[in-house]
Amino acid sequence: NTDAIKNIDFYKGSFPAQYGGRVSSVVDVRTKDGNNEKIKGDFSIGLISAKINLEGPRIKDKTTFSISARRTYLDLITTPLIKYENNQNNDGDVDFGYHFSDVNMKIQHKFNYKSKLTASLYWGEDKYNFSIDENSTSNAGNSKSKVKWGNFITTLDWAYQLSNVLFTNLSVSYNKYKSNINSTYESISNENGQEDKYNFSYDFISSVEDVSIRNNYNYYLNSYNSIRFGVEYTHHSYAP
């Protein structure tokens, strides 16, 4: 969601050492801090999606917040068209839909000019569904499929100025990607006066889950040179 983005750095190769563990490329996304002066927001509607953004101070000059959310409504637009098509077709009903939604949240508190604490959250999910009901003289049945996938990310970050030339960041983060594919099929055939029933279903779930803790330091030798160092631990959980 562009309303939540402050800036993006993209490294297609030869990325810095602090992105260790990445294989091919890096997209470093920095989200906006909340407005420190007043509460403001905006709401917009496009051809296929709507979004809202709200930001402002919770405690002036101390705590700020920022919330952005959006959702597509392509499934709502196609629903009446699908119903009309089903009314013209006597062999069965077809239904399908797709939409995605996401939320960005960020809260930042400044203890003093040397120390600040930031909590951020991202949630996003895509959903697709398809179903068909057959109704002919010899066969009847229905098939339903649902697919959804998405990410959940949350981070708590503490930034502290140790001296005029040394800065540190301590962060704890959790993120999870999950996909779910569900399908069911039922059919009843009636041939030569004999009725046959058939049922089939499956449910596939995959996920990747990470818990990380990182402590980084920036040491500024002068206005042209600096040294970055730190340590990071990540626990990966795979459920293919």
Side-chain angles (χ1 to χ4, degrees), residues 130-150:
F130 175 82
S131 65
I132 180 170
D133 289 329
E134 299 176 337
N135 186 16
S136 63
T137 56
S138 60
N139 293 282
N142 63 78
S143 175
K144 297 180 180 179
S145 297
K146 295 181 180 179
V147 182
K148 64 179 181 178
W149 64 96

Side-chain angles (χ1 to χ4, degrees), residues 62-76:
K62 286 286 186 179
T63 307
T64 61
F65 72 91
S66 176
I67 302 173
S68 299
R70 61 178 176 169
R71 187 196 191 278
T72 59
Y73 43 81
L74 188 62
D75 53 334
L76 304 180

Side-chain angles (χ1 to χ4, degrees), residues 12 27 62 90 106 129 166 176 228 236:
K12 64 179 182 178
V27 180
K62 286 286 186 179
N90 296 323
K106 187 174 185 179
N129 66 279
L166 184 60
K176 184 175 185 178
R228 293 184 179 183
H236 301 285

Side-chain angles (χ1 to χ4, degrees), residues 98 124-128 147-151 177-180:
Y98 165 80
E125 188 174 68
D126 293 62
K127 287 185 178 181
Y128 170 78
V147 182
K148 64 179 181 178
W149 64 96
N151 292 277
Y177 167 81
K178 184 178 180 181
S179 66
N180 181 216

Side-chain angles (χ1 to χ4, degrees), residues 114 160-167 219:
K114 287 187 175 182
Y160 188 76
Q161 180 180 343
L162 297 171
S163 69
N164 291 333
V165 295
L166 184 60
F167 299 80
Y219 182 72

Side-chain angles (χ1 to χ4, degrees), residues 165-169 216-220 226-229:
V165 295
L166 184 60
F167 299 80
T168 182
N169 278 80
N216 288 338
Y217 293 85
N218 287 358
Y219 182 72
Y220 293 91
S226 64
I227 298 175
R228 293 184 179 183
F229 58 95

Side-chain angles (χ1 to χ4, degrees), residues 12-214:
K12 64 179 182 178
S14 302
F15 41 82
Q18 65 261 32
Y19 302 110
R22 278 65 178 181
V23 177
S24 58
S25 61
V26 172
V27 180
D28 188 344
V29 181
R30 305 289 171 163
T31 55
K32 291 180 180 178
D33 299 331
N35 189 294
N36 196 37
E37 299 296 327
K38 61 180 180 180
I39 294 178
K40 67 175 186 177
D42 56 80
F43 174 75
S44 61
I45 298 178
L47 292 176
I48 61 172
S49 66
K51 57 183 179 179
I52 186 172
N53 179 61
L54 185 65
E55 60 177 318
R58 183 65 181 87
I59 302 175
K60 194 169 183 180
D61 298 326
K62 286 286 186 179
T63 307
T64 61
F65 72 91
S66 176
I67 302 173
S68 299
R70 61 178 176 169
R71 187 196 191 278
T72 59
Y73 43 81
L74 188 62
D75 53 334
L76 304 180
I77 296 175
T78 56
T79 296
L81 300 176
I82 296 172
K83 287 184 178 181
Y84 174 79
E85 183 64 26
N86 288 334
N87 291 332
Q88 307 300 313
N89 186 7
N90 296 323
D91 293 334
D93 292 339
V94 176
D95 187 23
F96 66 89
Y98 165 80
H99 76 271
F100 77 82
S101 51
D102 57 27
V103 176
N104 286 84
M105 297 178 62
K106 187 174 185 179
I107 299 175
Q108 186 177 90
H109 179 76
K110 293 181 179 180
F111 297 99
N112 49 53
Y113 74 95
K114 287 187 175 182
S115 177
K116 65 179 180 180
L117 187 68
T118 304
S120 60
L121 177 146
Y122 169 81
W123 171 85
E125 188 174 68
D126 293 62
K127 287 185 178 181
Y128 170 78
N129 66 279
F130 175 82
S131 65
I132 180 170
D133 289 329
E134 299 176 337
N135 186 16
S136 63
T137 56
S138 60
N139 293 282
N142 63 78
S143 175
K144 297 180 180 179
S145 297
K146 295 181 180 179
V147 182
K148 64 179 181 178
W149 64 96
N151 292 277
F152 175 79
I153 306 169
T154 182
T155 302
L156 185 65
D157 181 89
W158 177 50
Y160 188 76
Q161 180 180 343
L162 297 171
S163 69
N164 291 333
V165 295
L166 184 60
F167 299 80
T168 182
N169 278 80
L170 176 64
S171 62
V172 179
S173 62
Y174 168 82
N175 70 80
K176 184 175 185 178
Y177 167 81
K178 184 178 180 181
S179 66
N180 181 216
I181 303 174
N182 177 270
S183 181
T184 59
Y185 177 73
E186 299 176 354
S187 68
I188 301 174
S189 61
N190 191 349
E191 296 181 0
N192 302 322
Q194 185 176 359
E195 186 176 88
D196 294 323
K197 294 184 178 181
Y198 177 76
N199 295 289
F200 173 77
S201 66
Y202 65 81
D203 192 22
F204 295 144
I205 300 176
S206 298
S207 65
V208 180
E209 190 175 21
D210 290 348
V211 178
S212 302
I213 181 169
R214 174 189 296 179

